[in-house]
Amino acid sequence: AGALMHAGACAGLVIPPAACIGLNDVINIEPGTATGNGFAGTYEVTASTDVSCEACLGHVNAATACQDMALEGEITAIHEYGVLVITDANGESAAGAVDADGNFRIGSANFSSGGEAYQMITGRISGNNVTATSTTRVTVTDAGGLFDRQSVRTITLRKVVE
């Protein structure tokens, strides 16, 4: 299972290779400057749009579509002293940092026998609204060769106020 990752197709492939994210980009993110727990709550995805799909490291297998890892449905956010952890409806989580101004960065890494997936979500929480960019890289080696793609998606969320 992957953190916050639900596969889907990414529109058009862009070449030349992108500056793709890796393991060091998505783990061990230092806490941010936000104190208390003001950014905690339940957020609902209101829009999600594909932005790009790119080959990484020059590895191109045109027959394989980009794997886009989209946030969907309701997301639970736990915020405590600069650390932000989000969990989706499937119980998959990603962790990172949130600053006092609402800017955040969270990441996740997932490994399987066939490959790996990295996800970095950056954005801003402003009141009950969230705007974010999700960058996902999936690398898989199979009979068709090496699949190494990165997709980018913009996401908006709204806090569920009870």
Side-chain angles (χ1 to χ4, degrees):
L4 305 172
M5 299 188 176
H6 306 287
C10 182
L13 176 65
V14 175
I15 301 173
C20 293
I21 62 173
L23 181 62
N24 291 333
D25 297 312
V26 300
I27 63 168
N28 300 323
I29 299 170
E30 294 291 324
T33 59
T35 58
N37 61 3
F39 296 113
T42 300
Y43 295 83
E44 183 176 15
V45 175
T46 57
S48 183
T49 305
D50 288 332
V51 174
S52 68
C53 177
E54 304 170 319
C56 296
L57 304 175
H59 298 290
V60 177
N61 178 348
T64 308
C66 229
Q67 293 297 306
D68 177 46
M69 308 308 183
L71 290 175
E72 298 173 334
E74 286 192 350
I75 308 299
T76 301
I78 299 171
H79 161 222
E80 193 168 275
Y81 300 102
V83 175
L84 184 66
V85 177
I86 64 171
T87 306
D88 70 7
N90 297 318
E92 299 170 340
S93 298
V98 62
D99 293 326
D101 63 3
N103 287 317
F104 66 89
R105 58 218 163 271
I106 56 176
S108 66
N110 301 283
F111 303 93
S112 69
S113 60
E116 53 205 44
Y118 307 113
Q119 184 175 36
M120 172 63 71
I121 303 171
T122 59
R124 181 175 172 88
I125 304 168
S126 179
N128 291 331
N129 299 302
V130 180
T131 55
T133 300
S134 174
T135 303
T136 303
R137 179 179 180 186
V138 176
T139 302
V140 176
T141 302
D142 61 18
L146 177 64
F147 164 90
D148 190 358
R149 297 278 201 287
Q150 179 166 284
S151 61
V152 177
R153 170 177 286 272
T154 59
I155 304 163
T156 57
L157 301 97
R158 181 144 179 85
K159 191 170 192 176
V160 177
V161 181
E162 299 177 16

